[in-house]
Amino acid sequence: MSSSSPGSPPPADGLPSVVRRHLGALARSLAHPSHPPTPLLAGASRRWQRLAPYVVVTLLTALFVPATFQILTMDYQVGRGPAALLALAQAGPLLMLAHRPLQAWWIVFGADVVGALVLLAPVSSPAPVPLPPLRQELPWPWSPTVVISYLFVLLALGLRETRRTLLAVWLTTGTAGLLLYLIAPERDASGVVLLPVLGAVVLVITAALRERGEAQRRLVEQETISETERAGRTLLEERTRIARELHDVVAHHMSVITVQADSAPYRISGLPEQAREEFGSIAASARESLTEMRRLLSVLRSDGTEGERAPQPGLDRIQQLVEATVRSGLPVELSMGTDVPGSTEGGLPQAVDLSAYRIVQEALANVVRHAPGARTRVSVTAAGSHLTVLVVNDRAQRPGSPLEATGTGHGLVGMRERVRLTGGTLDTGPLPDGGFRVAARLPLSAPVVPSASLASEDP
């Protein structure tokens, strides 16, 4: 009975088993391509790009088949029949490089090995013509056309297959060349060293280019996903903010109802007991509604934040907003129509009043970020049953600003949500002279969408 300590060396058969396991993995990689049999550049947007690989492999085949036949018959003195078969077997599979490079490699590799063995056969020339230099002086086991065409095969493999498959192909090629050299060491074996060296260079370069392209593609996909997630998060945050502001608007009216219902029995003398109970029920329902709204608001608020205690802004504070923007260095002109009703007068719903202010605020903030120094015009007018808010800026006067990099880049999302809340329309877009235009049309009597729907509707 024997025992081994944790620090003892592995058993003697450990290393051979590891080698066998790795060799088995390399062999399996040669038998199973790592990509489906789809053409190279099949996902290209343009038709000529998708056809380009087929044109290239067709030209390569048309070039190497006659060149291989010419070298085999003229330089290596192979018969025309065997030379034609070898030329087709060694160069014909180049047509498969566009969609099945690994299968093409198997055919080319086998044909090249058979061709090297054929070149060992003695030269027989029935015609009394001067013979070319002896075969011993010609490259062997790989002829010049075999080396060049084989490099194109490795190029196609490097663009499609994994590192393990490329390593297996390179080791198989080098091993085959070494074994052939041992059969006839007296021959010029320059190809035994040349092909593995050039093949390694081609495989490393193409594999690096392929991996770099895949990394860039994954980066673009990740950026697209991140942009989508950021836009969705911005939308949800803006909806939550609108819901909080709606709470403040509705809570004011509910508080007024509660106070009026509680004080009615004291302000109105001679009320019957049934009316007093009705006013008490109204006040209790209003207080319960306020409690439920505060409970919902606590869920919508971020951790550690508190509600704003100041009243919600409206059109009566746009003048102050414009003056603050002018002090920051942005030339702004304000035009307020005399027929614009105020929320205190009962002619303008508070949701519309707040939305109009927020739209102007966000539009001016976007001008400061993206068009610093641009001349800006703000116009608020009322016509019929609609309120029109217009913010137009010219081309930026300064090329850059520290504020340009701030913000999420989704300021228009909040505008659309606010306009959608009031049932209005929003028109935004660049101007021909390089400026930008934001135009919102809000109904003066728009029904307010319940705040709960803001979190349930899809973007």
Side-chain angles (χ1 to χ4, degrees):
M1 182 175 180
S2 62
S3 60
S4 60
S5 61
S8 60
D13 60 343
L15 184 59
S17 64
V18 172
V19 173
R20 287 196 301 270
R21 186 166 63 252
H22 285 288
L23 290 178
L26 292 176
R28 287 190 297 272
S29 66
L30 290 177
H32 303 285
S34 60
H35 67 90
T38 55
L40 187 65
L41 301 181
S45 58
R46 299 185 179 181
R47 188 169 182 268
W48 70 267
Q49 293 176 337
R50 297 191 296 269
L51 295 178
Y54 293 100
V55 175
V56 172
V57 297
T58 302
L59 293 177
L60 289 176
T61 305
L63 175 64
F64 279 103
V65 168
T68 303
F69 176 80
Q70 181 78 8
I71 289 181
L72 289 177
T73 55
M74 299 299 295
D75 294 345
Y76 289 89
Q77 289 297 293
V78 179
R80 298 179 65 86
L85 293 177
L86 283 177
L88 290 176
Q90 291 177 344
L94 296 178
L95 286 172
M96 302 170 57
L97 296 182
H99 57 288
R100 296 181 183 270
L102 188 59
Q103 291 84 341
W105 172 81
W106 274 109
I107 301 174
V108 172
F109 174 73
D112 290 346
V113 173
V114 172
L117 297 176
V118 170
L119 295 183
L120 289 176
V123 178
S124 60
S125 178
V129 295
L131 296 178
L134 296 178
R135 285 185 179 176
Q136 283 78 2
E137 300 177 3
L138 295 174
W140 187 87
W142 321 121
S143 65
T145 53
V146 166
V147 173
I148 299 175
S149 62
Y150 200 86
L151 292 179
F152 280 104
V153 176
L154 296 182
L155 175 65
L157 286 173
L159 294 175
R160 305 298 294 275
E161 297 297 333
T162 61
R163 290 185 179 182
R164 177 177 292 178
T165 304
L166 300 182
L167 177 61
V169 167
W170 185 80
L171 291 176
T172 304
T173 303
T175 302
L178 180 60
L179 293 177
L180 290 173
Y181 170 74
L182 295 178
I183 295 175
E186 72 279 0
R187 303 293 296 270
D188 181 11
S190 58
V192 175
V193 178
L194 181 63
L195 183 57
V197 172
L198 294 179
V201 173
V202 171
L203 290 177
V204 169
I205 294 177
T206 53
L209 292 176
R210 175 178 58 83
E211 292 178 357
R212 183 174 181 271
E214 291 179 354
Q216 290 179 341
R217 177 181 55 81
R218 288 194 296 268
L219 180 60
V220 171
E221 292 178 354
Q222 186 62 38
E223 289 178 349
T224 303
I225 294 173
S226 300
E227 181 68 19
T228 303
E229 292 178 349
R230 185 163 56 250
R233 186 170 60 250
T234 303
L235 178 62
L236 292 177
E237 291 175 354
E238 188 62 27
R239 287 183 172 183
T240 302
R241 179 185 176 189
I242 295 173
R244 293 198 301 263
E245 293 178 349
L246 274 180
H247 162 267
D248 297 336
V249 172
V250 178
H252 168 72
H253 295 288
M254 296 298 294
S255 299
V256 172
I257 293 174
T258 304
V259 172
Q260 289 178 341
D262 283 333
S263 62
Y266 303 98
R267 291 182 291 104
I268 305 175
S269 60
L271 283 178
E273 187 63 27
Q274 187 177 2
R276 291 177 180 272
E277 293 177 358
E278 187 68 22
F279 278 117
S281 176
I282 293 174
S285 298
R287 280 192 293 268
E288 184 179 354
S289 299
L290 284 173
T291 303
E292 292 296 330
M293 289 181 61
R294 293 191 182 98
R295 186 177 295 113
L296 176 61
L297 187 63
S298 65
V299 177
L300 295 177
R301 293 195 190 278
S302 304
D303 295 338
T305 61
E306 296 182 357
E308 296 181 2
R309 300 183 183 277
Q312 292 295 340
L315 293 179
D316 56 343
R317 292 178 56 183
I318 284 186
Q319 181 66 40
Q320 302 175 14
L321 175 63
V322 170
E323 292 175 356
T325 308
V326 171
R327 286 194 297 269
S328 67
L330 186 71
V332 183
E333 298 178 359
L334 174 63
S335 174
M336 288 284 292
T338 57
D339 53 351
V340 176
S343 59
T344 57
E345 303 170 359
L348 187 64
Q350 286 192 351
V352 175
D353 192 27
L354 175 61
S355 297
Y357 176 86
R358 294 301 188 194
I359 290 172
V360 175
Q361 184 184 41
E362 184 61 37
L364 292 178
N366 287 340
V367 176
V368 173
R369 294 189 190 104
H370 306 293
R375 190 174 185 85
T376 307
R377 295 172 296 279
V378 178
S379 173
V380 180
T381 57
S385 60
H386 287 84
L387 178 73
T388 302
V389 179
L390 179 65
V391 181
V392 180
N393 64 274
D394 299 335
R395 184 189 297 271
Q397 300 298 320
R398 299 192 297 272
S401 171
L403 294 175
E404 191 172 357
T406 63
T408 62
H410 298 281
L412 297 179
V413 173
M415 297 185 193
R416 294 191 182 98
E417 285 301 301
R418 293 184 182 279
V419 172
R420 178 185 178 186
L421 169 69
T422 59
T425 59
L426 180 68
D427 181 22
T428 63
L431 298 175
D433 60 351
F436 200 83
R437 175 177 180 267
V438 175
R441 193 166 181 261
L442 310 176
L444 295 178
S445 59
V448 177
V449 180
S451 60
S453 66
L454 292 172
S456 60
E457 294 177 356
D458 295 331

